[in-house]
Amino acid sequence: MQKADELVYAPLGGVGEIGMNLSVYGYGRERKKAWIAVDLGVSFGGGEDLPGVDLVMPDIRFLLEERKNLLGLILTHGHEDHFGAIIDLWPRLKLPIYATPFTAALFEAKREAEPGAPEIPVTVVPVGGRIKLGPFDVEFVSMSHSFPESNALIITTPLGKVLHTGDWKLDPTPVVGPPTDEARLRRLGEEGCLALVGDSTNSVREGRSPSETEVGKTLAKLIAESPQRVAITTFASHVARLRSIAEAARACGREVVVVGRAMERVVQVARETGHLDGVPDFRSAQTYGYLPRDKVVALCTGSQGEPRAALARIASDSHPEIGLAKGDRVIFSSRTIPGNEKAVNKIVNGLIAQGVEVLTERNHLVHVSGHPRRDELAELYGWVKPQILIPVHGEPLHLAEHAALARKLGVPNVVGCRNGDLVRIAPGAPGIVDEVPQGRLYKDGNLIIEAEARTVADRRRLGFVGVVAVALAIDETGLLVSEPEVTLIGVPDHDGRGRSFADQAAATAVETVEHLPRARRRDPDSVAEAVRRAVRGGIAASWGKKPLCLVHVLTV
Ligand SMILES: [Zn+2]
Ligand SMILES: [Zn+2]
């Protein structure tokens, strides 16, 4: 019997976590499917859990396996959790990329700024445009978000339509970019929406998120009432926020100075794509020192405490052009992403120590999220009336709350899944039918390494215990020809009774070799292993911690 075509979905990143979004949709018969991928993002920072790791990315093994049947990568928008892994991973995939104008231009600017980045062609799709990729017809639908052009995708197949929401909220007055395209989404509801794959980020929050326009009003008031300099930090790609700040500054006769490369890049792209039309030119950081204190607003990168970004350098008084002083005001027009609290607090404390006033979203409406709260989710589901809901873009709590809300709203099928689950959307009852390879990759310096590799786990252990290295030289009969050499790294010099660990390790090594049976003594590997165990055990007995122990045996 000929098997029927089916429509399937699999998340390869971003489900059960915030960040590194990557999804695939497949259509066709078993093992003969055509695929499209949506988004290819990163998660930030290893931090203490992953020492030395700059970025975490989804493993693309599945995309490589299906490369011949993979028709393209479609970007919903240009936030790093949706497009940050492309520069590193595209060279292995070399697949066509589709994006709307701002995302495409921002990607190109970012790529140009990266030394050695390859040419990566991106096909620009107009806002509201559509593309045809094999059995998939993909239509871009404008959604408001904390990014100038965010798109949901209506993916039409012979078995039905899927709405992939991307990141969205409902904001009738988003400052920059079109509001969520309610008319198109209502029409989708009339046409029939088989499945909705949707943003869960704020599904635990009641009500609706305030409009970007409200934030603009608060910022205008806080700038107007400041007696001295104002510095504001926000997410570099938040063009609506940059625009609100620029308009507020102009209303009280202040010049805007942009500080930080990522933000300069966004500003340039936003100007080229018309998102800052009507906003006077910004000034460069070099002009800052010449502007009167009550005539300037500095727009800075570094809202997440990034140590090399503008704000961290300003807070530690080490920025070449920008300084703040007692009486100046800093506004964090941002939310601290979980994991970054320590770094942000360090900056806040540095600023307060300089006598600078610091305002945050805790006390003022200076930031709103770009993701839908519960009433917004309910409203969208009322328009679209999906038969199936698949919650994505969230941690397990967000996904579970989103699923429960959808059930309460009467969505007939809710399919909870995790990275690597293959969900059959149609035909028949929807559900998880298989697994596909998934995992994580780490950006480690200039290299991409697999999360399963020992490298980072070893590094983390080293951070707790250190290393004892022992070098021995034996002759062919297995007799030591000299004193062992011992090196300690990250291990205390002496035990609690003042005895040198290096001397103890050397003595243990000598004793161990001398007590080995003659036959084993002639085998360098066997000597090394015996010495390693003995030295490690000896140090652990008095230190209370087991160091890593490396033994090199030379035969002379
Ligand atoms: Zn986003
Ligand atoms: Zn996102």
Side-chain angles (χ1 to χ4, degrees):
M1 196 186 88
Q2 185 92 310
K3 284 219 170 185
D5 286 346
E6 50 177 19
L7 170 61
V8 296
Y9 164 78
L12 300 175
V15 178
E17 63 199 344
I18 298 267
M20 57 175 235
N21 294 286
L22 169 58
S23 289
V24 291
Y25 290 89
Y27 185 89
R29 263 173 275 159
E30 213 181 328
R31 309 206 178 282
K32 289 208 171 120
K33 289 186 177 65
W35 297 91
I36 51 171
V38 178
D39 293 335
L40 184 52
V42 292
S43 289
F44 282 100
E48 282 162 17
D49 291 345
L50 300 173
V53 172
D54 299 319
L55 298 171
V56 183
M57 311 178 199
D59 193 323
I60 52 167
R61 251 176 307 163
F62 181 69
L63 302 187
L64 293 168
E65 281 172 17
E66 292 288 343
R67 176 63 194 89
K68 280 212 288 293
N69 309 311
L70 184 59
L71 304 172
L73 168 64
I74 301 157
L75 306 182
T76 59
H77 67 297
H79 272 152
E80 290 293 321
D81 61 321
H82 295 259
F83 88 164
I86 298 171
I87 293 176
D88 285 305
L89 299 180
W90 188 85
R92 303 181 191 186
L93 288 164
K94 295 200 167 57
L95 79 176
I97 302 177
Y98 302 89
T100 50
F102 184 82
T103 298
L106 186 64
F107 176 72
E108 181 58 16
K110 186 186 156 194
R111 192 193 64 77
E112 273 175 6
E114 199 131 318
E119 290 283 325
I120 301 178
V122 175
T123 302
V124 179
V125 180
V127 170
R130 60 202 294 173
I131 53 174
K132 182 110 179 74
L133 295 172
F136 303 97
D137 178 299
V138 182
E139 181 181 347
F140 289 68
V141 180
S142 293
M143 305 294 267
S144 47
H145 181 47
S146 47
F147 189 85
E149 288 164 14
S150 196
N151 298 283
L153 306 172
I154 296 176
I155 302 169
T156 302
T157 71
L159 283 170
K161 291 172 190 276
V162 177
L163 179 69
H164 183 101
T165 68
D167 292 2
W168 66 281
K169 67 182 282 190
L170 295 182
D171 187 341
T173 50
V175 179
V176 162
T180 296
D181 190 348
E182 179 179 341
R184 180 64 189 100
L185 293 164
R186 281 181 183 278
R187 216 162 65 237
L188 172 64
E190 288 155 18
E191 292 160 5
C193 177
L194 183 56
L196 186 151
V197 176
D199 183 351
S200 308
T201 316
N202 276 345
S203 63
V204 295
R205 302 187 69 178
E206 293 293 344
R208 327 178 140 258
S209 44
S211 169
E212 190 57 39
T213 302
E214 296 303 313
V215 175
K217 285 182 195 159
T218 311
L219 287 170
K221 185 171 148 283
L222 294 174
I223 294 170
E225 71 183 27
S226 298
Q228 303 287 359
R229 286 170 177 143
V230 181
I232 305 181
T233 184
T234 188
F235 300 99
S237 64
H238 202 323
V239 178
R241 198 65 51 78
L242 306 187
R243 186 174 188 115
S244 295
I245 293 164
E247 283 169 359
R250 175 162 59 174
C252 44
R254 288 176 183 249
E255 299 272 2
V256 175
V257 169
V258 176
V259 198
R261 255 170 304 166
M263 207 174 269
E264 286 167 19
R265 200 153 69 216
V266 170
V267 165
Q268 197 195 338
V269 172
R271 291 215 181 268
E272 286 163 11
T273 48
H275 291 296
L276 286 174
D277 281 358
V279 171
D281 280 346
F282 297 149
R283 309 290 290 267
S284 70
Q286 289 82 359
T287 59
Y288 177 86
Y290 302 100
L291 294 164
R293 289 183 70 177
D294 60 347
K295 289 281 174 276
V296 62
V297 172
L299 252 175
C300 311
T301 53
S303 69
Q304 298 307 309
E306 302 92 327
R308 284 166 298 197
L311 193 63
R313 298 167 70 196
I314 296 168
S316 62
D317 210 5
S318 59
H319 195 282
E321 277 119 7
I322 312 295
L324 292 171
K326 195 169 169 4
D328 292 341
R329 172 175 274 188
V330 170
I331 302 171
F332 279 78
S333 185
S334 57
R335 177 184 82 102
T336 302
I337 294 170
N340 296 338
E341 294 88 350
K342 245 189 187 166
V344 171
N345 286 345
K346 190 175 164 203
I347 289 177
V348 169
N349 287 325
L351 292 166
I352 288 173
Q354 293 182 49
V356 173
E357 183 193 16
V358 177
L359 307 181
T360 71
E361 61 150 0
R362 269 175 304 195
N363 325 86
H364 302 270
L365 183 60
V366 290
H367 180 67
V368 283
S369 164
H371 301 275
R373 294 191 192 175
R374 293 169 73 88
D375 287 358
E376 292 162 85
L377 291 167
E379 191 163 353
L380 178 73
Y381 300 166
W383 299 342
V384 175
K385 302 181 197 69
Q387 292 300 304
I388 304 164
L389 176 93
I390 303 175
V392 299
H393 203 290
E395 293 173 359
L397 169 71
H398 310 126
L399 303 173
E401 289 279 328
H402 191 179
L405 176 67
R407 283 193 194 99
K408 209 177 98 190
L409 292 168
V411 176
N413 302 284
V414 177
V415 181
C417 61
R418 290 292 186 274
N419 293 337
D421 286 338
L422 185 77
V423 178
R424 185 174 61 213
I425 295 174
I432 297 167
V433 292
D434 202 354
E435 276 182 3
V436 296
Q438 60 89 31
R440 288 156 180 263
L441 299 171
Y442 297 152
K443 177 136 192 189
D444 186 37
N446 296 327
L447 301 180
I448 309 286
I449 59 173
E450 286 179 4
E452 299 85 49
R454 295 286 313 148
T455 323
V456 176
D458 282 351
R459 205 177 285 165
R460 192 163 47 217
R461 261 186 81 210
L462 279 172
F464 290 102
V465 293
V467 184
V468 181
V470 181
L472 302 169
I474 54 175
D475 64 19
E476 69 259 19
T477 65
L479 287 174
L480 283 166
V481 296
S482 61
E483 275 292 291
E485 292 271 344
V486 177
T487 310
L488 306 178
I489 303 171
V491 173
D493 290 336
H494 299 96
D495 70 7
R497 288 194 268 161
R499 295 175 306 181
S500 154
F501 273 132
D503 291 351
Q504 287 180 53
T508 305
V510 171
E511 202 180 313
T512 306
V513 175
E514 283 172 354
H515 283 86
L516 277 178
R518 202 162 278 226
R520 279 187 67 196
R521 239 196 269 166
R522 286 194 211 109
D523 170 20
D525 290 344
S526 167
V527 171
E529 181 56 18
V531 170
R532 194 186 67 81
R533 285 167 180 269
V535 167
R536 192 159 178 247
I539 291 181
S542 43
W543 187 20
K545 293 171 74 171
K546 280 188 179 166
L548 293 174
C549 186
L550 304 174
V551 180
H552 290 284
V553 178
L554 296 169
T555 41
V556 290

